[in-house]
Amino acid sequence: QVQLVESGGGLVQPGGSLKLSCAASGLPVNYYAMGWFRQAPGKAREGLSCISGVDGSTYYTSSVKGRFTISRDDDKNTVYLQMQDLKPEDTAVYYCTTDHLRGCGVPSDTASYDYKGQGTQVTVTS
């Protein structure tokens, strides 16, 4: 059974940083594509990033490219999302996700993957 548990969210000022973690069980994060999406109140899910299970390549949607970094620790079976230069429009619940696919498609695909965690709230405000 796949389980994803996110942590690391919180309240941060604009320009600040946060690092989200996703502890996975039931599948190896270095074999399957792992991703992150977010959902703000009243808005659709937005797929953000994906790290390939084939070769570790990383992909980002344009709104976060250059500010967010996805990575993984194979020993800990954990995926991370390092977020820098946060903006108020980054405020959302952030979800770790996977779909038993090995490769990534476009980052927006992560918004419709089958498995997700409970989410972690990120609030960016002054």
Side-chain angles (χ1 to χ4, degrees):
Q1 183 177 0
V2 176
Q3 285 193 317
L4 306 171
V5 179
E6 302 96 337
S7 61
L11 181 66
V12 63
Q13 292 185 340
S17 300
L18 281 175
K19 186 174 184 178
L20 307 183
S21 298
C22 169
S25 59
L27 85 170
V29 301
N30 63 351
Y31 188 77
Y32 292 105
M34 301 294 298
W36 290 89
F37 72 89
R38 65 187 178 190
Q39 188 163 25
K43 294 189 177 182
R45 293 181 180 183
E46 180 185 16
L48 302 176
S49 182
C50 183
I51 182 166
S52 173
V54 176
D55 58 6
S57 296
T58 58
Y59 304 88
Y60 302 92
T61 194
S62 58
S63 61
V64 305
K65 193 170 185 178
R67 300 189 298 125
F68 290 11
T69 303
I70 190 171
S71 63
R72 69 188 186 210
D73 184 323
D74 297 347
D75 292 336
K76 294 182 179 180
N77 211 42
T78 297
V79 179
Y80 303 97
L81 187 68
Q82 175 70 53
M83 307 185 294
Q84 297 177 320
D85 190 23
L86 284 162
K87 306 174 182 180
E89 51 265 41
D90 293 319
T91 295
V93 180
Y94 284 69
Y95 297 89
C96 176
T97 185
T98 189
D99 203 13
H100 277 138
L101 300 172
R102 296 224 48 219
C104 296
V106 295
S108 58
D109 288 349
T110 61
S112 58
Y113 281 1
D114 281 345
Y115 300 98
K116 65 178 180 68
Q118 82 289 352
T120 186
Q121 176 71 47
V122 172
T123 302
V124 184
T125 181
S126 55

